Amino acid sequence: MVVTGGSGRTQAVRADEPYFTRLWQLLQPTYTGTEPVSDAWEEGRYPPVRFTVLWGLTGVGGWPSTDSAPGGDVAVAREDQLFLAGDGTPWVRSDPAPELEDDDIRWHRAPREVFDRLDRAGLAGGAGEGRGEGAKGSTGPERGVWWAVPGLVVGFAAGVGGTRLIRRAAVGPGAGPPRDEPRQELIDL
């Protein structure tokens, strides 16, 4: 699954798709080494994430490992994030075991030519999509929240109107429990 950096859009990619092959070439998920990065990056002050890939395995599990049928579970095997350094070098931050709370984070440079192909195709998340601030089709807060305002107004009006109608019905004639009829009793047998 690919999660685009700033927009949060997700896309499921299968192993038989060309995009999967390019992601595999770019992120190199079988690479187990690490390269040194600056202290600021080690402390978490790195450039914005272009996209995150969660590498999943399907068809895992089953009794006795889990309570579900064999082959029905999905496991997250690895998490890779792509960053673009100030000089334009693509970097990959890998967590080989995202389900564990550990500090085993590995860094390596990604192939520049593969990144450039994905970026030109608009699949590298970010500037390659040609979406600067305020550009047509951008999804930032200045463009993506406009629909919420009318929804909030309609929701508030419906809530106030509904509350008034319920209160009016509650104090109207014949409201409340019956006073003249005999009461019923629940008997436990």
Side-chain angles (χ1 to χ4, degrees), residues 67-162:
D67 291 333
S68 60
D73 292 339
V74 177
V76 177
R78 180 184 181 98
E79 176 186 71
D80 289 333
Q81 293 179 312
L82 183 82
F83 300 91
L84 198 58
D87 63 354
T89 305
W91 280 84
V92 178
R93 178 182 182 268
S94 297
D95 186 354
E99 74 280 356
L100 298 176
E101 293 281 335
D102 62 1
D103 56 348
D104 185 13
I105 303 297
R106 302 174 187 183
W107 292 88
H108 68 274
R109 288 180 183 89
R112 182 66 183 257
E113 61 278 354
V114 178
F115 172 77
D116 288 340
R117 278 187 288 171
L118 283 172
D119 198 36
R120 279 193 302 273
L123 300 173
E129 296 175 328
R131 292 183 175 178
E133 280 191 42
K136 182 179 180 184
S138 86
T139 58
E142 70 279 351
R143 301 274 302 168
V145 184
W146 64 268
W147 57 267
V149 175
L152 286 172
V153 170
V154 169
F156 181 74
V160 169

Side-chain angles (χ1 to χ4, degrees), residues 4-189:
T4 305
S7 70
R9 292 178 305 189
T10 60
Q11 177 183 3
V13 181
R14 301 195 187 284
D16 58 350
E17 297 177 20
Y19 183 37
F20 181 90
T21 304
R22 288 203 178 143
L23 284 173
W24 189 274
Q25 293 169 348
L26 178 69
L27 300 175
Q28 302 168 351
T30 56
Y31 182 77
T32 58
T34 188
E35 296 181 40
V37 293
S38 70
D39 291 335
W41 283 26
E42 285 288 336
E43 295 170 2
R45 296 188 316 259
Y46 33 76
V49 177
R50 296 295 291 261
F51 62 82
T52 301
V53 174
L54 299 168
W55 300 96
L57 300 171
T58 58
V60 297
W63 190 84
S65 300
T66 64
D67 291 333
S68 60
D73 292 339
V74 177
V76 177
R78 180 184 181 98
E79 176 186 71
D80 289 333
Q81 293 179 312
L82 183 82
F83 300 91
L84 198 58
D87 63 354
T89 305
W91 280 84
V92 178
R93 178 182 182 268
S94 297
D95 186 354
E99 74 280 356
L100 298 176
E101 293 281 335
D102 62 1
D103 56 348
D104 185 13
I105 303 297
R106 302 174 187 183
W107 292 88
H108 68 274
R109 288 180 183 89
R112 182 66 183 257
E113 61 278 354
V114 178
F115 172 77
D116 288 340
R117 278 187 288 171
L118 283 172
D119 198 36
R120 279 193 302 273
L123 300 173
E129 296 175 328
R131 292 183 175 178
E133 280 191 42
K136 182 179 180 184
S138 86
T139 58
E142 70 279 351
R143 301 274 302 168
V145 184
W146 64 268
W147 57 267
V149 175
L152 286 172
V153 170
V154 169
F156 181 74
V160 169
T163 302
R164 292 192 67 176
L165 286 173
I166 290 172
R167 284 185 179 169
R168 182 176 288 165
V171 298
R179 305 270 185 228
D180 300 337
E181 299 173 17
R183 298 187 181 255
Q184 297 181 2
E185 183 178 341
L186 179 62
I187 300 173
D188 189 17
L189 299 177

